[in-house]
């Protein structure tokens, strides 16, 4: 079972370069999320999409844009990468929007380094 | 906004001993509480959640967690630790009135030694 698939797994960028992180889920989930994971800070929500056609900012949206391409796919774009965006990025999905206690299913992550 | 604190960066236990990973939360309303586990080079996996009702929640792999409203805590426990339990554990909270925003703690690294 594929679940949540993220590409690429690793990426090195130079400051100022742009890139798009891809995410797709095959569980027919309505809600999708992008998190970043930094040492000692846990996971922080960048953007989420409660349902197809909607996107909202999370805790740390600056420097990022997202596109909910269809129900399956939710991409994260860095328009002009900065060293502060060096992190591990996780995409997640859930059945929501609903009562709020739906569990999240995570992809395996993208390790991004910005030099 | 809601928040989660995991006061211990690292917890070390011997195999066979009980383990506890601590979590406290802050939320304006009533919480939904979660525990997730992360193995090396993997995404997070759901362990258990508290919605309402019984304060003791049982989850995957023999883990359980106790919800304590007065202490705003949701500690993860297991009666007998296994070496394979070694991983990074995250507590998370959602406010029932703002359930699009799940906040995670910084994580606790559990090491179980043979």
């Amino acid at each position: 079972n594929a679940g949540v698939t993220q590409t690429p797994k690793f990426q090195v960028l130079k400051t100022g370069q742009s890139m798009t992180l891809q995410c797709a889920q095959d569980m027919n989930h309505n809600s999708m999320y992008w998190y970043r994971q930094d040492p000692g800070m846990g996971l922080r929500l960048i953007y989420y999409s409660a349902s197809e056609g909607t996107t909202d900012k999370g805790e740390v949206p600056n420097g990022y844009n997202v596109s909910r391409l269809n129900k399956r796919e939710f991409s994260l774009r860095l328009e002009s990468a900065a060293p502060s965006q060096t992190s591990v990025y996780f995409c997640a999905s859930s059945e929501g929007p609903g009562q709020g206690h739906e569990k999240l299913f995570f992809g395996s992550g993208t390790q991004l380094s910005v030099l | 906004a809601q928040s989660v604190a995991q006061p211990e960066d690292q917890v070390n236990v011997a195999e066979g001993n009980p383990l506890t990973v601590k979590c406290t939360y802050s939320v304006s309303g009533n919480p939904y509480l979660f525990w997730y586990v992360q193995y090396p080079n993997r995404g997070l996996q759901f362990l258990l959640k508290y919605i309402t009702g019984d304060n003791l929640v049982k989850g995957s792999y023999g883990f359980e967690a106790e919800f304590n409203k007065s202490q705003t805590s949701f500690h993860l426990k297991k009666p007998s630790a296994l070496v394979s339990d070694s991983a990074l554990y995250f507590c998370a909270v959602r406010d029932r009135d703002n359930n699009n925003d799940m906040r995670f703690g910084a994580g606790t690294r559990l090491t179980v030694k043979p």
Side-chain angles (χ1 to χ4, degrees):
Chain A
N1 294 334
V4 179
T5 303
Q6 290 182 237
T7 56
K9 292 189 182 300
F10 302 94
Q11 184 71 49
V12 178
L13 294 177
K14 295 181 180 179
T15 297
Q17 287 185 317
S18 62
M19 79 159 296
T20 300
L21 280 65
Q22 306 287 352
C23 176
Q25 52 89 11
D26 63 0
M27 295 172 283
N28 202 34
H29 286 168
N30 290 312
S31 298
M32 297 185 74
Y33 311 81
W34 277 105
Y35 286 90
R36 59 178 289 173
Q37 182 181 23
D38 301 293
M41 301 190 73
L43 276 76
R44 293 181 292 169
L45 183 64
I46 305 171
Y47 270 93
Y48 65 94
S49 172
S51 59
E52 186 179 358
T54 68
T55 61
D56 287 286
K57 295 179 180 179
E59 189 180 356
V60 288
N62 291 344
Y64 305 95
N65 285 302
V66 291
S67 295
R68 184 73 183 267
L69 304 171
N70 47 55
K71 190 172 184 179
R72 289 186 64 248
E73 298 173 286
F74 189 40
S75 63
L76 178 71
R77 182 161 179 84
L78 287 71
E79 292 290 352
S80 179
S84 61
Q85 294 178 304
T86 293
S87 187
V88 180
Y89 292 84
F90 288 100
C91 178
S93 69
S94 70
E95 291 181 350
Q99 298 298 314
H101 54 74
E102 298 81 13
K103 62 184 180 183
L104 300 184
F105 293 80
F106 285 84
S108 58
T110 296
Q111 190 167 326
L112 175 66
S113 295
V114 183
L115 306 178
Chain B
Q2 58 267 36
S3 65
V4 173
Q6 294 182 241
E8 302 157 316
D9 293 335
Q10 175 95 27
V11 171
N12 298 314
V13 298
E15 188 174 31
N17 283 359
L19 69 86
T20 298
V21 182
K22 296 180 180 177
C23 170
T24 59
Y25 67 90
S26 173
V27 65
S28 58
N30 291 309
Y32 294 126
L33 293 157
F34 305 80
W35 276 101
Y36 287 83
V37 60
Q38 186 181 31
Y39 297 102
N41 300 314
R42 302 286 297 276
L44 279 69
Q45 299 175 32
F46 171 80
L47 272 181
L48 51 80
K49 64 181 177 182
Y50 171 79
I51 303 172
T52 188
D54 194 348
N55 290 341
L56 186 64
V57 179
K58 294 188 182 296
S60 306
Y61 313 120
F63 284 94
E64 58 190 26
E66 186 168 12
F67 172 65
N68 188 318
K69 188 172 183 178
S70 63
Q71 297 186 3
T72 62
S73 67
F74 189 56
H75 301 331
L76 181 69
K77 300 181 179 183
K78 188 174 183 181
S80 179
L82 300 172
V83 172
S84 57
D85 292 331
S86 298
L88 191 56
Y89 290 81
F90 291 94
C91 183
V93 64
R94 258 184 179 152
D95 187 329
R96 292 178 188 231
D97 296 326
N98 180 21
N99 59 39
N100 284 319
D101 189 359
M102 180 180 284
R103 296 293 176 102
F104 286 80
T108 298
R109 184 163 300 282
L110 172 68
T111 301
V112 182
K113 298 182 178 179

